[in-house]
Amino acid sequence: MNASQVSGIGMTSQRTRSRLVQWLMDEGVQNQNVLKIMEETPRHLFIDEGLSHRAYENTALPIGDGQTISQPYTVARMTEILLETGSCDKVLEIGTGCGYQTAVLAKTCKTVFSVERIRNLHIKARKTLANLNLHNIQLLFADGFNGWQQNAPFDAIIVTAAPAQIPEKLLLQMADGGRMIIPVGTQEAEQELYLVERQGDKFRKTFVEKVKFVPLVGGVAR
Ligand code: SAH
């Protein structure tokens, strides 16, 4: 990777990225820190070169193994909600995928832990994130239904694939005052994005908006 690829010259130009940020603002994303990070993060480096001309469109795109890179709007919105509801020093992400959401979080959180169940994607994400010189990230190849107990509790948990119900183990790995943002629902139906806030032993669940994610699948795929 050379300097012009990282800075994003050409079809992934500054103008194209600014357009994306304008669109995010039109859709209601307001957090200036998040908008700046979305503008700076080279989304084209997280997808196959053949698709890089579409990197700054607000769409999910295939990343191999039947998975997708999340829509920029969804990434921005989930990040904004976590940042605006409390501390984000220690964050757990379930579903690394290509690592795009991981990179966005790493630019504003102290440490990001991210778990992926498909080995291939886990390895590819590690390379991409290392190339971007992001060093406050720890990646794990495992079933995210189990969270990452050794590093719990987490100030914030972000789940980027949808389970049918909120996994109990993830609730238990939230810090007191911690938040979790998670899509819930089956693949066929429309899913609902929830913010869960923990106060002691109480968990308050707030509906955010309708969303569409790939399913959270149990077990690992080598
Ligand atoms: N965060 C990614 C989204 C990737 S799509 C982004 O920024 O674009 C969701 C990812 O969740 C897929 O890579 C999928 O393999 C992964 N996933 C699904 N079930 C999982 C599980 N139980 N544990 C860990 N990862 C899981």
Side-chain angles (χ1 to χ4, degrees), residues 63 67-70 75 93-102 115-118 121 142-145 160-161 213-219:
I63 55 171
Q67 305 303 315
T68 52
I69 181 170
S70 298
V75 170
E93 177 189 30
I94 305 298
T96 316
C98 61
Y100 177 64
Q101 170 80 71
T102 325
V115 183
E116 171 58 53
R117 67 173 290 277
I118 299 179
L121 295 176
D143 179 356
F145 269 103
T160 66
F213 280 85
V214 296
L216 192 72
V217 178

Side-chain angles (χ1 to χ4, degrees), residues 150-211:
Q150 292 96 309
N151 295 300
F154 300 96
D155 300 315
I157 299 181
I158 181 168
V159 184
T160 66
Q165 290 154 20
I166 299 177
E168 175 91 22
K169 281 188 183 165
L170 296 184
L171 291 170
L172 295 174
Q173 292 181 21
M174 293 170 71
D176 194 2
R179 289 92 55 233
M180 168 156 58
I181 186 114
I182 180 168
V184 180
T186 56
Q187 190 59 4
E188 291 75 36
E190 228 178 357
Q191 304 151 0
E192 301 185 321
L193 187 65
Y194 286 100
L195 171 69
V196 182
E197 294 168 281
R198 179 175 193 169
Q199 292 297 341
D201 290 335
K202 292 213 171 66
F203 296 87
R204 190 176 67 182
K205 196 172 127 186
T206 314
F207 169 74
V208 179
E209 59 192 44
K210 298 270 186 199
V211 284

Side-chain angles (χ1 to χ4, degrees), residues 116-124 141 221-222:
E116 171 58 53
R117 67 173 290 277
I118 299 179
R119 192 175 185 89
N120 212 3
L121 295 176
H122 163 75
I123 292 169
K124 242 164 95 177
F141 166 61
R222 286 168 202 284

Side-chain angles (χ1 to χ4, degrees), residues 125-147:
R126 188 185 292 291
K127 283 197 196 128
T128 309
L129 293 166
N131 281 338
L132 291 173
N133 280 322
L134 293 168
H135 299 298
N136 54 337
I137 295 172
Q138 293 192 40
L139 300 178
L140 178 70
F141 166 61
D143 179 356
F145 269 103
N146 298 322

Side-chain angles (χ1 to χ4, degrees), residues 12-67:
T12 50
S13 72
Q14 192 54 45
R15 197 146 49 92
T16 318
R17 290 194 207 180
S18 305
R19 235 186 354 245
L20 172 66
V21 168
Q22 184 56 52
W23 195 89
L24 293 173
M25 286 165 73
D26 293 347
E27 287 300 302
V29 178
Q30 291 183 352
N31 186 290
Q32 290 302 318
N33 187 15
V34 171
L35 290 168
K36 183 165 168 282
I37 293 171
M38 296 301 292
E39 184 153 22
E40 284 172 4
T41 308
R43 190 169 184 253
H44 62 286
L45 299 182
F46 291 86
I47 55 185
D48 285 344
E49 250 173 77
L51 285 170
S52 53
H53 62 291
R54 302 192 54 197
Y56 298 93
E57 292 173 18
N58 186 48
T59 49
L61 295 166
I63 55 171
D65 294 279
Q67 305 303 315

